[in-house]
Amino acid sequence: MPIKSIRGGINLRKCLISAFKRNSLLLLVTLLTISAFIYYTVYTVILVKLLNPTLIEDFMNFLSANYPAKIPKPETHEFFMFIFMNNTRFYWNPLNMLVWIPLFGALIVGFSFLLNGVVIGAVAAMLGLKYGPLLPIVGLAPHGIIEVPAFIIQCTAILRWHITISTLLFNLIRGEKVEKAKVKEDLMDVVILSAISIFLLFIAALIETYITPSLIKLVEKNVEEFRLQSQPFQELLATLRQLKHDI
């Protein structure tokens, strides 16, 4: 039994490594695209702040007024479920599952993930400019270092699905030979990458729910400036989470 378990573990590891190797180019393109949008969004927010300091403040006030936080309180099971279900909505929400429709869905997923890159960049820049670098690091980095790679893997899985299904449909329409083994392998990659992204998003949601708030409280006790700003910071962070959920 132990030998079978070891062999099973080795085979699983090989499948995971193979899936990442076969989709390394897609992963790289997705990473560079989202990173570019985050970078240029941060750059734009900083530039706007320098040229018109009140504009960012007005925009943040607009968000607070028009996107009131309706999400559960942190450190609760309800908050965890809100974060996790929202981040995995492409796998269960009927409306968001439109991203799996061949060709048409590719446009939706592309727009959605690029918009996520813009939101992440804008959130980091606005919070950093308003409250200093410590607050965004404590409030965003602990779960973000897992959540962002998970989104990249999720996007790659959906793109691999579109490439595979679109190629299959075109080959069938043109009467060309279908490589069944290649199609099966690609679809298995979609399952593997999706499973990995869901697992990582589960871990990220746990961190955002139970660890990030504790880190905020820990820093709050030791940094006077942070103590004065942590409450409005958390309120704004909740508003931005609500905005991300709505879009």
Side-chain angles (χ1 to χ4, degrees):
M1 187 68 176
I3 295 177
K4 290 183 178 179
S5 299
I6 293 172
R7 287 177 178 174
I10 293 174
N11 290 334
L12 177 60
R13 183 181 177 184
K14 286 182 178 179
C15 287
L16 295 178
I17 293 174
S18 297
F20 275 96
K21 283 184 177 180
R22 285 191 294 268
N23 296 278
S24 58
L25 181 59
L26 265 181
L27 285 164
L28 179 60
V29 171
T30 306
L31 170 63
L32 292 177
T33 303
I34 293 179
S35 298
F37 270 78
I38 293 175
Y39 171 80
Y40 283 111
T41 302
V42 171
Y43 178 80
T44 301
V45 170
I46 294 174
L47 185 62
V48 171
K49 177 69 174 179
L50 293 174
L51 297 176
N52 191 343
T54 62
L55 186 60
I56 298 298
E57 188 73 26
D58 292 341
F59 179 67
M60 294 170 76
N61 292 333
F62 169 80
L63 290 180
S64 298
N66 291 275
Y67 290 90
K70 304 174 185 176
I71 62 178
K73 293 182 179 180
E75 298 183 282
T76 63
H77 175 71
E78 291 76 16
F79 181 83
F80 165 78
M81 290 304 298
F82 176 87
I83 296 297
F84 178 65
M85 297 304 288
N86 180 57
N87 288 343
T88 58
R89 63 191 181 278
F90 293 132
Y91 298 106
W92 65 269
N93 186 297
L95 183 61
N96 286 283
M97 286 181 70
L98 291 175
V99 300
W100 298 95
I101 298 176
L103 298 179
F104 172 74
L107 299 176
I108 300 176
V109 74
F111 174 77
S112 176
F113 278 97
L114 292 181
L115 193 59
N116 263 285
V118 171
V119 170
I120 291 171
V123 168
M126 287 190 293
L127 294 179
L129 289 171
K130 186 174 178 64
Y131 299 106
L134 181 61
L135 285 159
I137 291 173
V138 173
L140 300 175
H143 62 273
I145 58 176
I146 297 177
E147 189 176 76
V148 173
F151 281 136
I152 292 172
I153 295 172
Q154 185 184 74
C155 182
T156 301
I158 298 174
L159 290 176
R160 173 52 62 196
W161 162 267
H162 281 290
I163 293 171
T164 301
I165 298 302
S166 297
T167 303
L168 174 62
L169 291 175
F170 284 141
N171 287 340
L172 289 174
I173 292 172
R174 292 181 297 186
E176 296 183 3
K177 182 180 179 181
V178 175
E179 298 182 25
K180 295 182 179 180
K182 180 67 167 59
V183 172
K184 183 179 179 181
E185 183 179 71
D186 288 345
L187 293 178
M188 182 57 65
D189 286 350
V190 173
V191 174
I192 291 173
L193 293 175
S194 295
I196 293 172
S197 73
I198 292 172
F199 173 73
L200 291 177
L201 289 171
F202 178 84
I203 299 300
L206 284 175
I207 294 173
E208 187 171 2
T209 302
Y210 300 108
I211 297 179
T212 299
S214 298
L215 290 176
I216 291 176
K217 291 177 183 177
L218 179 63
V219 178
E220 182 181 0
K221 292 179 180 178
N222 295 280
V223 182
E224 180 65 27
E225 183 182 0
F226 190 98
R227 187 180 302 119
L228 297 173
Q229 297 176 339
S230 64
Q231 185 60 34
F233 167 79
Q234 293 184 63
E235 291 175 357
L236 178 60
L237 195 58
T239 298
L240 291 168
R241 285 195 188 105
Q242 184 67 46
L243 174 61
K244 183 180 176 184
H245 173 263
D246 291 344
I247 61 177

XYZ file of all heavy atoms in Angstrom, residues 1-8:
61
model
N 0.823 -1.220 0.000
C 0.000 0.000 0.000
C 0.852 1.263 0.000
O 0.607 2.185 -0.779
C -0.934 -0.027 1.212
C -1.945 1.115 1.215
S -3.133 0.938 -0.117
C -4.209 2.330 0.234
N 1.898 1.341 0.881
C 2.770 2.521 0.857
C 3.439 2.727 -0.489
O 3.623 3.846 -0.947
C 3.796 2.224 1.957
C 3.100 1.269 2.869
C 2.256 0.431 1.975
N 3.843 1.598 -1.150
C 4.514 1.699 -2.455
C 3.563 2.279 -3.491
O 3.930 3.139 -4.289
C 5.015 0.303 -2.909
C 6.100 -0.198 -1.945
C 5.565 0.376 -4.334
C 6.601 -1.586 -2.276
N 2.287 1.829 -3.455
C 1.288 2.365 -4.386
C 1.065 3.848 -4.144
O 0.892 4.627 -5.087
C -0.029 1.601 -4.239
C 0.024 0.169 -4.756
C -1.343 -0.481 -4.650
C -1.318 -1.905 -5.205
N -2.651 -2.558 -5.094
N 1.069 4.233 -2.873
C 0.868 5.647 -2.531
C 2.017 6.493 -3.048
O 1.820 7.591 -3.575
C 0.733 5.815 -1.009
O -0.384 5.099 -0.528
N 3.237 5.970 -2.908
C 4.418 6.693 -3.395
C 4.372 6.840 -4.900
O 4.623 7.919 -5.452
C 5.705 5.965 -2.957
C 5.856 6.040 -1.426
C 6.924 6.577 -3.636
C 6.988 5.197 -0.899
N 4.025 5.740 -5.582
C 3.939 5.784 -7.046
C 2.853 6.759 -7.489
O 3.019 7.497 -8.466
C 3.647 4.385 -7.591
C 4.843 3.433 -7.505
C 4.454 2.050 -7.991
N 5.600 1.146 -7.969
C 5.529 -0.157 -8.231
N 4.344 -0.699 -8.547
N 6.608 -0.913 -8.183
N 1.720 6.734 -6.765
C 0.637 7.660 -7.095
C 1.072 9.099 -6.922
O 0.747 9.965 -7.745
